[in-house]
Amino acid sequence: MNAEARLANEAWEALFRAQVVLARRFTDDDIWHELTPNEYDVLYTLKKSPQGMSMTEINRGILLTQAGVSRLCSRLIQRGLVSRGCDPRDRRASVLTLTEAGVELQRAVGARHAAAVTAAMTEALAPDQLVQLRALAQQIVDSAAPGPPRHDSQEPS
């Protein structure tokens, strides 16, 4: 393996391990009283799209199988946190949106999660390092995503 390939693989492994460590820490946080982390992920994903999203669009944004997303969304609909409606772009399809109860619960859990993320990230990195990390991670996302690159900042969870 040449030096460039070794560096690329070491960087990937470090990024992957960091994600695993943080995901485990956040999953273990005592903030998930009303929702599981996966349920929160769906609510957060829907929050970013007030016009609604299809199951396929939701699935692109989270790390679950299509069947897992479908079952999870069905549970959220039954709990009154998500509603299903007709897609105005394709009447044969449906879109999911947050209900008022879903918005309120996402905000409550999101505030606790944002505090946990802030604590974890600021314990490990200085502000200038957080800026660099955000830019580097966004560059990876932009290079893999179709369409024009994004340059806006993400709203915290």
Side-chain angles (χ1 to χ4, degrees):
M1 186 181 295
N2 68 31
E4 181 180 43
R6 184 179 323 279
L7 178 60
N9 280 271
E10 288 171 354
W12 157 246
E13 185 173 352
L15 179 63
F16 179 75
R17 299 284 174 221
Q19 189 276 334
V20 168
V21 165
L22 290 172
R24 285 182 180 155
R25 177 177 174 165
F26 299 144
T27 298
D28 292 343
D29 283 338
D30 187 28
I31 63 170
W32 307 109
H33 311 292
E34 308 95 331
L35 294 169
T36 67
N38 285 338
E39 290 170 335
Y40 175 77
D41 198 8
V42 169
L43 296 187
Y44 179 71
T45 299
L46 286 171
K47 177 194 126 194
K48 296 185 290 183
S49 185
Q51 74 277 7
M53 299 177 84
S54 69
M55 291 278 195
T56 302
E57 292 168 324
I58 294 169
N59 195 49
R60 279 189 215 122
I62 63 176
L63 293 175
L64 286 176
T65 64
Q66 184 71 32
V69 169
S70 181
R71 284 190 303 273
L72 194 148
C73 288
S74 291
R75 287 194 309 269
L76 294 171
I77 290 167
Q78 289 174 346
R79 291 177 59 192
L81 301 173
V82 171
S83 64
R84 184 187 317 264
C86 287
D87 186 340
R89 299 164 292 187
D90 180 355
R91 300 306 263 173
R92 297 167 296 170
S94 61
V95 293
L96 302 178
T97 56
L98 290 178
T99 63
E100 265 312 304
V103 169
E104 290 175 22
L105 187 53
Q106 187 283 320
R107 283 184 185 145
V109 175
R112 296 190 306 255
H113 183 52
V117 169
T118 300
M121 298 301 285
T122 57
E123 285 170 14
L125 300 171
D128 62 321
Q129 292 173 310
L130 291 170
V131 169
Q132 286 179 307
L133 177 60
R134 181 182 62 195
L136 292 170
Q138 190 60 55
Q139 187 173 343
I140 292 169
V141 170
D142 288 347
S143 73
R150 290 182 18 184
H151 297 290
D152 59 334
S153 63
Q154 288 287 326
E155 178 183 333
S157 51

